[in-house]
Amino acid sequence: MIVASLQSHRFRIQSLVRISLYLLVFVTGAIVHANGPLLRLLPPEAIAFSEFLRKAEFDQRFQGEAISDLSTVPQGWYVRYQHESLEYWFGPLRFAATAEDYATSLRRIVAEAVAQRPELANHTITVVSLPTKESVNANANDPLDPVPEESVADSGTASPPPPKPWWQRLLGIFRRGS
């Protein structure tokens, strides 16, 4: 009888633990869903590896950095991949042309994956520049590039003269002989 009551007490505790765990998972999922998708910042080289690595291997090799606020992301060009609640940002890249090349490569890889799994067709791949012009205008008091406190003209040394146009330099080659 004592054994039976201990087992029923243990069953109640296990049930409460399970219910609490389910509630915790549900509440956490609701909070994450309410805050929007969690973004992962990955190096652009990860795009090439996505072609031949399985998802588990890819996630292990390129864990990336989870970000929740885009204002903390370094300045540059990014290739953004979005599918439902998944969002990967590959970058930063220095040039827009390089980001477009990476985006083209990712589009080809994703097209091959969509051919095998049509449920992946609902995705977007875009090239994005951060910070955007709106965020730069909003942070006009906080410049991205530091401004020197005193200019060269104020320090007493004369600034060098502007360079001559290319055509004057070319004509100068012929004038030197005479």
Side-chain angles (χ1 to χ4, degrees), residues 171-178:
L171 290 175
I173 293 172
F174 297 112
R175 289 187 189 146
R176 290 182 192 189
S178 53

Side-chain angles (χ1 to χ4, degrees), residues 24-163:
L24 178 67
V25 169
F26 176 74
V27 169
T28 304
I31 290 171
V32 168
H33 184 69
N35 291 336
L38 186 64
L39 312 175
R40 274 179 64 190
L41 184 62
L42 299 165
E45 302 81 35
I47 291 174
F49 286 90
S50 69
E51 185 170 11
F52 57 86
L53 289 180
R54 293 190 175 128
K55 181 165 178 18
E57 294 169 335
F58 181 84
D59 289 341
Q60 183 180 8
R61 182 166 184 161
F62 299 102
Q63 295 173 2
E65 178 184 346
I67 53 173
S68 58
D69 184 14
L70 287 178
S71 65
T72 62
V73 175
Q75 181 179 4
W77 290 91
Y78 291 85
V79 177
R80 180 176 61 186
Y81 171 83
Q82 291 176 296
H83 181 259
E84 295 176 1
S85 64
L86 178 69
E87 193 166 338
Y88 288 155
W89 288 61
F90 298 95
L93 295 160
R94 188 173 200 158
F95 301 108
T98 307
E100 285 294 339
D101 290 343
Y102 275 111
T104 301
S105 177
L106 184 60
R107 285 183 187 106
R108 181 186 52 79
I109 293 167
V110 171
E112 291 173 5
V114 168
Q116 295 175 1
R117 295 179 56 198
E119 63 269 12
L120 298 175
N122 188 16
H123 70 276
T124 58
I125 297 173
T126 54
V127 174
V128 179
S129 173
L130 288 180
T132 59
K133 291 179 183 177
E134 293 83 23
S135 66
V136 170
N137 291 337
N139 296 330
N141 296 333
D142 184 25
L144 296 174
D145 296 327
V147 178
E149 292 182 12
E150 59 180 297
S151 66
V152 175
D154 293 338
S155 66
T157 60
S159 61

